[in-house]
Amino acid sequence: MTRIFFATDVHGSERAFRKFVSAGPFYKAGIVILGGDITGKMMVPIVQKNENAYDAYYYQNKVEVDNEKELEKFENEWKNSGYYPYHCSQDELAAITNDREKAGAILFGLMKERLEAWIKLIEEKLRGTGVKVYITGGNDDPYEVESILRTSDFIIDPEGQVVKIDDNKEMISSGFSNPTPWKTPREVSEERLRDEIEKMTSKVQDMKNCIFNIHVPPKDSQLDTCPKLDESVYPPKPILEKGRLVEFGAGSSSVRLAIEKNQPLLTLCGHIHESRGAIKIGRTVCINPGSEYQEGILRGAVVDLKKDKIDDYQLTSG
Amino acid sequence: MVRPCGRLSELSLSGTPAEGPAYVRKASGLVRELNARDFAFFNLAGFGLFFSLFYWVSLTPLIGGNYLVGFLLYVLAALCVTMIYYCFMVIMPRSGGDYVFVSRSMHPAIGFIGNLTFGVFWLLFVAVTAVTITSTGLTAFFGYVGIVYNLPSMVSIATAMTTPFWIFVLGVVWVLLGAFIAIPSLRTYLRIQQVIIIIVVLFYIIGLVTLAAATSSSFTSSFNSFTSQYTANTADHYSGVISAAASDGWAIPDQTSLWGSVLLLPAFGVVGFFQWNANVGGEIRSPKKTALYGLVVGAMIFLGLLAVATALLYRVAGFNFLSSIDYLLFNDPSKIPLPMLPYAGILIALTMPPWLGAIYTLIPAIQQILFIPSAYLVFSRGLFAYSFDGVLPKWFANVNSKTHGPLNAIVTSVIVSFILFIIVELPASSSYAFLFSSVFTWITTILPTLFVALAAILLFKLRPQLNELSPIKGIKLVIPGIISIIFIFIITYLCLTNPIYGANSPIGIYTAVGVVVAIGLVYLVSRIRRGRLLELSFKEIPPA
């Protein structure tokens, strides 16, 4: 039997990632897989006002911090929520406020720095333990994430490949998503997504024992239910009808089609954090463990695999 | 400094990325449909405004004590309990209510036993309700109409409805009607709930107005006139009720005793602590706001409405009269000069014009009908949560894509309630069913409430990270936890040591203990089958 642990959408959360590192030994899983959206999305500029006083700019609000100890506490909270504290001068703050490109470059640098630290941590903690680690990017992750992950000789980035995870299980992986209102780095059309998946499925030797590790969930599967957004404004706003949120399935029709057509053993997805659950499409068990990274909680799924079948699975909240 | 992000979900209504769990749905497939009003109404459907009033008025005058003191003590208990539930609903806005709260903060076995015990008895209460809709609700309506409009055939119908045959036939109808409302979708239920609860509250308030306008002498006159039409003699039945009770051993309860005031707690407590609706926590929008208004504020408003009606009845009908008629109700109902049981609805209807009184006596039955689908929704969400976590088979967690509800769990609830209905129906008698239900109401309430209160006390120690998410943190959450536990122990002690509540009956205690043990065994089997993984899934992973 092969036990895998799958989590996704940690979005830069230091605490959630550190829990992921511990998850293999904790759940006695020989294989741990981190789905896409590993990087965070927000920088928190911190400007020193005087010797012990700081202003932090958090969600368009200014947080005034009186001492180093409190600042450290705030910084840890922000890191655990997936944000990137960034110490800068008042002048630099003004510069990055007016120059989005510069702000983006700094944010990318912070993301790279944290990801590299994570790679180092995972190598330190798991090398020699027998736990195999697979990490892919997601639609929120810049393409450069692949090259950073591939600097490791321990972590496997299976993006766009068919990889054999044990004697008889193959896995295909994709961090692409269908279009979202947010215009994120790895959004592609449904046609392109279908082609990307087909490129991999055509190489799978035994579909009965194949795992689809695809970031975006299948369309209208209950693993993809979220509020419908009005894209005519930015940031997009939820649409209300008679005072109620309009919800819909934001998943991918190409992913659904690929599952229906190929009927793999298991599909692991994420993307829609609140649609945690497990369903079946034909013989395929599809799992979205959801995400609660902002609270530092690592949601995941432990799956026990046997040849041609799933022995058992358990959604976890660690 | 915020780059575009593909998380479609984490957007607050203001359109900015959410801080904390502002809009996060954590239950699979279930859709967040309930706003604060729906949530408060759901609570009201659970505890039943009229039914709760009937309980209070049929028990509190028997006990005596200072009504206001007893009531304020109960408000303190209910406030503490609802505040704790509110905090947990904000921390863990998931379907399954106290099962989720306790399983995450203490142990899944404790959460499972507490919530499923509540769920089983809640379905038993469906079975009892399927009896009492007919035996107390419809008989009141037909009896009232028959008397005030001098229609003997209607009185005969009221009498016939207390027979086992009609209680069974109509009970089946009520169970099926409840299933018919609950199965299509939560939205369908909510639409029906909104209409019924608005009607219920409207008539309840009309009742308050007519009670406030009535005097003691006008009530006495109405009661005598009403009973004269039924008994065909013009005796002073009002005084006759008091004399009959006195000759049967009734004595005026002491209204000044502090102990009597404390004794009132279980009587108020038969309606529970208003936390039923936490089981649908995965389907409420904006948990922080909805749980506060729908649970805490809603509960306080409803408690206020109950207290005002009871106090007005004390004033208008008279404490001694209420106490004596309640005494006869439980000891010798044949001496009550009425064709129906004298619950508060009939007494309030006597302060109204006949046409209004006729409609008024029908409303409690309508509200009771609403309780059945609401209970199915509550129980099914529990099944869904246990199944989602792997404690019960995953089949219960299947969410129907059309109804957005856990259809298998709802259908299971209907089947179980029907079996329980047949069991309750076997020794059918309305007052037996009524007493049976009152025993179980408090039993079902104390166990999960005790566990949740313990979880509140220990949260900062056991799960400091979750404690940080609570609107009331640390020691501030410990205080309502301790107060709640004190009240739970007082209520339990009083219930078990006073025969008036019927809770110390062997059948009540054996059934309660039996169900708890059986549920514990179910968990044990699941634990053996799933291995340690089941419990690990609730534990926090130590970060590397």
Side-chain angles (χ1 to χ4, degrees), chain B residues 40-211:
Chain B
F41 281 10
F42 195 82
N43 213 350
L44 195 52
F47 78 81
L49 199 51
F50 279 99
F51 212 54
S52 300
L53 177 68
F54 296 178
Y55 266 129
W56 281 18
V57 175
S58 64
L59 286 175
T60 54
L62 277 177
I63 297 159
N66 186 305
Y67 176 79
L68 185 62
V69 172
F71 174 71
L72 290 176
L73 282 172
Y74 184 67
V75 166
L76 177 63
L79 188 62
C80 289
V81 172
T82 51
M83 284 305 289
I84 292 170
Y85 270 74
Y86 155 65
C87 291
F88 276 113
M89 286 187 73
V90 173
I91 299 168
M92 296 174 240
R94 277 194 52 191
S95 290
D98 43 68
Y99 160 71
V100 176
F101 311 156
V102 176
S103 65
R104 269 63 182 172
S105 45
M106 293 204 295
H107 193 279
I110 303 173
F112 181 67
I113 289 170
N115 191 261
L116 189 53
T117 306
F118 160 73
V120 168
F121 286 123
W122 209 227
L123 287 190
L124 183 65
F125 206 56
V126 165
V128 171
T129 300
V131 172
T132 55
I133 290 170
T134 309
S135 65
T136 63
L138 290 185
T139 52
F141 168 72
F142 284 108
Y144 180 89
V145 171
I147 292 172
V148 296
Y149 291 109
N150 195 21
L151 299 167
S153 58
M154 299 291 256
V155 176
S156 301
I157 291 173
T159 309
M161 278 187 170
T162 57
T163 59
F165 175 77
W166 281 110
I167 287 177
F168 180 78
V169 170
L170 290 171
V172 172
V173 172
W174 308 135
V175 169
L176 292 178
L177 183 60
F180 185 73
I181 295 170
I183 286 174
S185 71
L186 180 62
R187 191 164 289 190
T188 305
Y189 167 81
L190 289 175
R191 286 192 187 120
I192 294 168
Q193 173 186 270
Q194 184 165 326
V195 172
I196 291 180
I197 294 294
I198 287 173
I199 291 170
V200 164
V201 173
L202 179 70
F203 274 88
Y204 190 91
I205 290 170
I206 289 171
L208 290 183
V209 172
T210 59
L211 265 179

Side-chain angles (χ1 to χ4, degrees), chain A residues 155-258:
Chain A
I155 294 169
I156 302 160
D157 173 9
E159 177 69 35
Q161 300 172 42
V162 182
V163 295
K164 203 144 190 174
I165 63 165
D166 69 6
D167 291 344
N168 49 45
K169 304 283 181 313
E170 294 166 285
M171 180 170 80
I172 67 166
S173 303
S174 174
F176 289 116
S177 84
N178 53 335
T180 78
W182 305 97
K183 318 288 183 248
T184 57
R186 292 196 208 198
E187 289 173 24
V188 294
S189 65
E190 287 285 4
E191 291 73 23
R192 164 94 189 275
L193 187 53
R194 187 191 62 212
D195 292 345
E196 293 290 336
I197 296 169
E198 275 183 4
K199 264 189 232 168
M200 292 184 280
T201 54
S202 64
K203 294 176 195 164
V204 171
Q205 290 175 346
D206 178 10
M207 197 52 83
K208 286 203 307 291
N209 284 293
C210 184
I211 297 167
F212 281 14
N213 170 26
I214 298 179
H215 184 61
V216 62
K219 174 87 177 159
D220 295 332
S221 59
Q222 297 169 22
L223 305 178
D224 67 330
T225 310
C226 64
K228 199 167 192 173
L229 301 178
D230 177 3
E231 297 180 41
S232 65
V233 293
Y234 195 88
K237 284 188 174 178
I239 296 170
L240 297 172
E241 269 181 18
K242 294 178 185 168
R244 293 181 186 276
L245 281 168
V246 179
E247 302 207 334
F248 81 122
S252 159
S253 52
S254 301
V255 173
R256 178 154 197 134
L257 194 67

Side-chain angles (χ1 to χ4, degrees), chain A residues 42-44 84-87 103-116:
Chain A
M42 193 170 84
M43 166 165 61
V44 182
Y84 299 96
Y86 176 64
H87 287 263
I106 293 169
L107 181 54
F108 179 74
L110 294 167
M111 283 160 41
K112 185 169 181 280
E113 190 184 322
R114 187 172 296 174
L115 189 53
E116 285 169 345

Side-chain angles (χ1 to χ4, degrees), chain B residues 401-485:
Chain B
S401 57
K402 286 183 184 157
T403 65
H404 293 290
L407 193 58
N408 296 342
I410 296 174
V411 172
T412 304
S413 310
V414 174
I415 293 168
V416 173
S417 74
F418 189 73
I419 294 166
L420 291 171
F421 168 69
I422 291 171
I423 294 169
V424 167
E425 169 66 4
L426 290 174
S429 93
S430 55
S431 54
Y432 180 80
F434 188 81
L435 194 60
F436 202 57
S437 62
S438 69
V439 172
F440 288 123
T441 305
W442 74 264
I443 291 175
T444 59
T445 303
I446 56 165
L447 206 57
T449 311
L450 175 68
F451 294 156
V452 175
L454 268 174
I457 293 169
L458 300 172
L459 189 70
F460 78 101
K461 192 82 182 161
L462 297 177
R463 297 298 295 266
Q465 212 182 332
L466 292 177
N467 178 57
E468 282 305 308
L469 298 173
S470 174
I472 302 170
K473 296 180 185 54
I475 191 74
K476 288 181 189 162
L477 190 59
V478 170
I479 293 168
I482 290 172
I483 295 173
S484 300
I485 286 180

Side-chain angles (χ1 to χ4, degrees), chain A residues 111-127:
Chain A
M111 283 160 41
K112 185 169 181 280
E113 190 184 322
R114 187 172 296 174
L115 189 53
E116 285 169 345
W118 284 1
I119 291 169
K120 202 175 160 196
L121 177 75
I122 219 163
E123 287 174 344
E124 273 172 24
K125 298 283 180 186
L126 295 181
R127 198 189 286 276

